[in-house]
Amino acid sequence: MSHDHHEREIMGLLCEYCDRVDRGDLDGFAALFADGVWGIAGDLAAGQEAVRRVLDNVIIYEGTPNTRHLMSNVRIAVDEGGRDATASCCITVMQCVPDDFPLQAIFIGTYRDRLSRRGGQWHFVERVIEPNLIGDRSRHRSDMA
């Protein structure tokens, strides 16, 4: 398999992460870390159940958190054997709650990932979130109000 093919598959996984949280599929989001760790640098949750517990504070409005995760400056490096990879990207999280919270960036940071290929698919081993600029997250997480 070519490196380009691996990079496309990894990009698909990175996009799936954003899509699941933006659709409000918090169980599906947590499942991406069944055998991995996820969280803000210094405070990582290991495994699907632990990740899902962290998401208990996400506020859902009629099925979604009214967010859009926007990735940019994506960099992917796949090892020679095509079994391990690293990735990083800038992330901007936008949110809008009609009649209450105008569209705005609530979080800007960097995702740093370690990934592995098992069973013919890429999986997260670790996603560390590095905050850079933090806005008003009071409509996104109940513990931020």
Side-chain angles (χ1 to χ4, degrees):
M1 223 174 267
S2 73
H3 271 41
D4 287 345
H5 181 81
H6 289 302
E7 288 179 10
R8 282 191 304 276
E9 286 184 341
I10 291 168
M11 188 61 152
L13 177 62
L14 303 182
C15 290
E16 185 66 23
Y17 170 101
C18 294
D19 186 54
R20 286 186 187 189
V21 71
D22 290 336
R23 285 185 291 123
D25 180 8
L26 303 182
D27 292 332
F29 175 92
L32 294 173
F33 297 93
D35 297 315
V37 297
W38 168 87
I40 293 179
D43 190 18
L44 300 177
Q48 182 173 347
E49 290 179 19
V51 170
R52 183 60 183 90
R53 279 193 302 274
V54 173
L55 302 174
D56 284 344
N57 290 317
V58 172
I59 301 169
I60 301 295
Y61 304 87
E62 298 180 20
T64 74
N66 287 354
T67 57
R68 179 63 69 181
H69 287 64
L70 307 170
M71 292 185 302
S72 60
N73 302 347
V74 179
R75 292 186 182 134
I76 299 169
V78 180
D79 76 350
E80 287 299 318
R83 289 183 303 272
D84 296 300
T86 58
S88 67
C89 68
C90 298
I91 185 69
T92 302
V93 181
M94 304 295 292
Q95 186 179 33
C96 176
V97 179
D99 301 323
D100 182 42
F101 194 74
L103 180 63
Q104 59 191 279
I106 62 168
F107 183 89
I108 297 172
T110 305
Y111 290 158
R112 301 219 184 266
D113 302 322
R114 288 188 308 117
L115 308 117
S116 69
R117 186 170 172 82
R118 298 183 314 272
Q121 292 187 318
W122 285 97
H123 299 271
F124 285 104
V125 172
E126 178 181 76
R127 169 161 274 184
V128 176
I129 304 165
E130 297 175 355
N132 299 119
L133 302 169
I134 298 175
D136 183 351
R137 295 184 296 159
S138 65
R139 303 305 190 293
H140 183 54
R141 294 183 52 94
S142 60
D143 59 342
M144 302 284 169

